[in-house]
């Protein structure tokens, strides 16, 4: 670590931005420096602090004699970064305290150096008592916002602790082998031979490999030439469940950044006609980049709002529709810990209304005897089975289609729920709906 105080100042700015409502995905790049040896350390520090933010915040409230003012948001973030480091124990305590204090000046806050020093040293003196008081409150111990904690207990009375614990773990790195250019077993052997790296297949996701340890994509054999992609095994279920065939006309709604879109193309032998629809032009560029790297020709990016087909649909119905619906992302918190700070209780009802509206808008675009696969990366029933059940009640020509045996997870209303951590997967909900022939 070449510039320890500067590293902590950079981390504090990112954490403050996330606390103010920016995603990690947008806040972190602003502090990443070209060719800096500290970038990996920055990411670890930021992700660790955000992942444990709720517990750290509860500790900080006990340590402060009076609350910090709103204008002191970056100092609050710096103190949280310092507390995270002290709890992590990977750097000597005296160095953490000294460099966190030094970071005050880099943030233009020299006047609070004494406060930062006092708070961090008090934590070291009183750590056992402070931690015990915080952990006595269950949602703080599990590092969850109270509203989400209560929602999980209500939705999953038998599994809520499993969901909470899995959401606090470091996620595994899953690969998706491009079936147009090889198979998972052969690629796994290649990883062992070239990198001495073990990779475990998944029984329900034939193209998936779970790496024994994460590594940069540039090291993966053939990554730049499209032989493999990074994608959670849970997300890889979509292509198989939709049952896409060569020659079919397919809509992937809310497609960006394009991982599921590409998998659809790969599984169809790149012989389907796939419209990749998204409301964001910037995110559609990622779909194009992914298609180009994988050498796929069957994907056509289209800019448009899934709620307003009249603006982009050519009137030709689709054989298959994948609706990867916008959602709370409560099933992928282990990959996106900022979700716990960005989401609010009122968001869930609003998400459910949006999901239902998109379903209703897209259903007329499906051919008779066609299939629509509704997908979220949520574990909340209000976004999943409740939405699909309401849609089925108001749509006479729609009926649930049975999913194949052997999937991890359990039935949830008209669909299927995989909870975070089950067989190494993230949390996903899938519901496959068929359209009657007489529609």
């Amino acid at each position: 670590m070449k510039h320890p105080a500067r590293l902590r100042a950079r981390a504090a700015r990112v954490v403050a931005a996330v606390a103010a409502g920016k995603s990690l995905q947008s806040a972190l790049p602003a502090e990443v420096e070209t060719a800096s040896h500290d970038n990996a350390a920055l990411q670890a520090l930021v992700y660790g602090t955000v992942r444990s933010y709720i517990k750290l915040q509860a500790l900080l409230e006990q340590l402060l004699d009076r609350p910090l003012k709103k204008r002191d948001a970056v100092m609050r973030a710096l103190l949280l970064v310092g507390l995270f480091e002290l709890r992590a124990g990977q750097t000597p305590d005296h160095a953490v305290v000294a460099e966190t204090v030094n970071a005050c000046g880099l943030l233009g806050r020299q006047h609070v150096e004494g406060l930062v020093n006092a708070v961090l040293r008090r934590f070291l003196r009183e750590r056992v008592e402070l931690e015990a008081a915080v952990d006595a409150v269950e949602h703080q111990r599990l590092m969850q916002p109270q509203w989400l904690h209560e929602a999980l207990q209500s939705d999953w009375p038998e599994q809520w602790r499993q969901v909470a614990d899995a959401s606090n773990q470091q996620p595994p790195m899953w690969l998706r082998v491009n079936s147009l250019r090889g198979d998972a077993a052969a690629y796994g052997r290649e990883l062992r031979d070239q990198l001495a790296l073990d990779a475990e297949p998944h029984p329900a996701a034939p193209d998936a490999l779970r790496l024994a340890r994460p590594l940069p994509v540039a090291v993966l054999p053939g990554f730049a030439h499209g032989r493999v992609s990074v994608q959670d095994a849970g997300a890889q279920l979509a292509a198989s469940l939709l049952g896409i065939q060569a020659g079919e006309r397919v809509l992937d709604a809310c497609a960006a950044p394009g991982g599921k879109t590409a998998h659809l193309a790969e599984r169809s032998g790149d012989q389907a006609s796939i419209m990749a629809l998204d409301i964001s032009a910037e995110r559609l560029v990622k779909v194009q980049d992914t298609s180009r790297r994988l050498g796929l020709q069957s994907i056509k990016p289209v800019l448009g709002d899934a709620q307003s087909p009249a603006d982009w649909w050519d009137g030709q119905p689709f054989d298959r529709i994948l609706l990867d619906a916008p959602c709370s992302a409560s099933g992928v918190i282990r990959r996106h810990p900022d979700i716990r700070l960005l989401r609010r209780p009122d968001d869930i009802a609003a998400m459910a209304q949006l999901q239902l509206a998109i379903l209703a808008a897209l259903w007329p675009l499906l051919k008779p005897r066609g299939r629509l696969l509704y997908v979220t990366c949520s574990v909340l029933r209000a976004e999943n089975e409740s939405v699909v059940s309401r849609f089925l009640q108001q749509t006479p020509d729609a009926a649930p289609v049975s999913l194949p045996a052997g999937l991890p997870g359990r039935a949830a209303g008209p669909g299927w729920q995989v909870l975070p951590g089950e067989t190494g997967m993230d949390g996903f909900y899938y519901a496959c709906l068929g359209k009657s022939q007489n529609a």
Side-chain angles (χ1 to χ4, degrees), residues 9 27 33 42 75 101 104 136 141 157 177 191 196 201 205 218 241 263 265 284 352 384 393 434:
E33 299 175 343
L42 172 68
M75 294 317 302
V101 169
C104 293
R141 182 174 72 252
V177 178
L191 290 175
L241 297 180
H263 198 199
L284 272 179
N384 296 336
Q393 289 170 4

Side-chain angles (χ1 to χ4, degrees), residues 238-251:
S240 298
L241 297 180
L242 191 58
I244 183 174
Q245 302 294 321
E248 289 185 330
R249 180 174 162 85
V250 181
L251 170 64

Side-chain angles (χ1 to χ4, degrees), residues 190-232:
E190 193 171 344
L191 290 175
R192 285 190 293 273
D193 293 343
Q194 293 190 19
L195 303 177
L197 179 65
D198 288 332
E200 179 183 353
H202 193 285
D207 302 323
L209 289 173
R210 178 179 179 171
L211 300 187
R213 65 178 188 278
L215 75 171
V217 294
V219 179
L220 295 172
F223 179 85
H225 298 97
R227 293 182 56 202
V228 67
S229 299
V230 177
Q231 186 182 39
D232 184 79

Side-chain angles (χ1 to χ4, degrees), residues 47-111:
Y47 269 78
T49 303
V50 172
R51 182 172 285 112
S52 49
Y53 189 98
I54 289 169
K55 178 178 279 193
L56 297 173
Q57 174 66 16
L59 286 169
L60 183 58
E61 288 175 357
Q62 295 186 81
L63 288 163
L64 292 169
D65 293 330
R66 58 180 182 274
L68 291 170
K69 293 182 172 60
K70 193 171 183 178
R71 65 174 180 267
D72 292 324
V74 73
M75 294 317 302
R76 175 184 298 276
L78 179 63
L79 284 164
L80 296 177
V81 169
L83 289 172
F84 167 74
E85 273 206 285
L86 291 176
R87 295 183 73 248
Q90 295 181 344
T91 304
D93 293 343
H94 67 88
V96 173
V97 174
E99 297 302 341
T100 305
V101 169
N102 291 339
C104 293
L106 297 174
L107 294 168
R109 302 290 198 280
Q110 293 92 334
H111 62 285

Side-chain angles (χ1 to χ4, degrees), residues 1-3 7 10 33-42:
M1 192 182 299
K2 288 190 173 183
H3 306 287
L7 170 66
R10 291 162 63 200
E33 299 175 343
T34 304
S36 171
H37 295 290
D38 287 345
N39 284 336
L42 172 68

Side-chain angles (χ1 to χ4, degrees), residues 102-410:
N102 291 339
C104 293
L106 297 174
L107 294 168
R109 302 290 198 280
Q110 293 92 334
H111 62 285
V112 295
E113 288 179 350
L115 172 65
V116 171
N117 183 67
V119 166
L120 297 183
R121 291 191 179 280
R122 181 183 171 193
F123 171 75
L124 291 171
R125 291 194 307 271
E126 303 176 20
R127 175 173 181 169
V128 174
E129 297 84 355
L130 292 166
E131 296 265 13
V134 168
D135 287 348
V137 181
E138 193 168 54
H139 80 90
Q140 294 175 172
R141 182 174 72 252
L142 295 171
M143 302 188 290
Q144 294 191 125
Q146 187 170 356
W147 73 267
L148 179 59
H149 181 64
E150 293 171 354
L152 291 177
Q153 288 181 312
S154 175
D155 285 358
W156 302 104
E158 302 297 325
Q159 297 93 358
W160 67 266
R161 190 177 296 276
Q162 167 198 327
V163 174
D165 289 341
S167 296
N168 286 329
Q169 302 302 312
Q170 294 281 354
M173 184 172 179
W174 284 97
L175 303 182
R176 187 190 77 240
V177 178
N178 185 347
S179 56
L180 298 173
R181 302 191 178 190
D183 62 72
Y187 194 84
R189 291 191 295 270
E190 193 171 344
L191 290 175
R192 285 190 293 273
D193 293 343
Q194 293 190 19
L195 303 177
L197 179 65
D198 288 332
E200 179 183 353
H202 193 285
D207 302 323
L209 289 173
R210 178 179 179 171
L211 300 187
R213 65 178 188 278
L215 75 171
V217 294
V219 179
L220 295 172
F223 179 85
H225 298 97
R227 293 182 56 202
V228 67
S229 299
V230 177
Q231 186 182 39
D232 184 79
Q236 294 185 43
L237 296 178
S240 298
L241 297 180
L242 191 58
I244 183 174
Q245 302 294 321
E248 289 185 330
R249 180 174 162 85
V250 181
L251 170 64
D252 184 356
C254 313
K260 294 185 184 72
T261 319
H263 198 199
L264 292 175
E266 291 167 3
R267 297 300 291 178
S268 68
D270 204 22
Q271 296 299 310
S273 175
I274 302 174
M275 178 186 291
L277 179 76
D278 204 87
I279 199 169
S280 167
E282 182 180 359
R283 284 167 56 80
L284 272 179
V285 172
K286 297 180 179 180
V287 177
Q288 293 173 311
D289 291 343
T290 296
S291 300
R292 191 176 301 114
R293 181 180 65 83
L294 295 170
L296 300 171
Q297 305 297 319
S298 59
I299 297 171
K300 178 186 176 183
V302 173
L303 182 65
D305 185 346
Q307 295 183 84
S308 305
D311 296 337
W312 48 264
W313 185 42
D314 62 4
Q316 298 298 312
F318 295 96
D319 299 282
R320 298 284 187 270
I321 296 177
L322 172 62
L323 172 51
D324 192 1
C327 70
S328 66
S330 54
V332 293
I333 287 174
R334 62 183 187 172
R335 295 190 190 277
H336 304 283
D338 51 334
I339 293 299
R340 287 174 171 158
L341 304 185
L342 301 178
R343 295 289 178 266
R344 298 290 182 267
D346 293 347
D347 294 342
I348 307 307
M351 286 285 188
Q353 286 299 114
L354 175 62
Q355 292 151 359
L356 188 60
I358 296 175
L359 261 174
L362 295 183
W363 189 252
L365 282 58
L366 187 65
K367 287 181 180 179
R369 303 182 69 180
R371 286 188 179 185
L372 182 150
L373 185 67
Y374 176 84
V375 184
T376 76
C377 55
S378 173
V379 296
L380 301 178
R381 294 184 187 272
E383 298 182 272
N384 296 336
E385 59 192 78
S386 294
V387 169
V388 178
S389 295
R390 287 168 62 193
F391 175 74
L392 289 171
Q393 289 170 4
Q394 64 189 38
T395 313
D397 60 347
V401 176
S402 297
L403 297 178
L407 294 175
R410 77 268 312 128

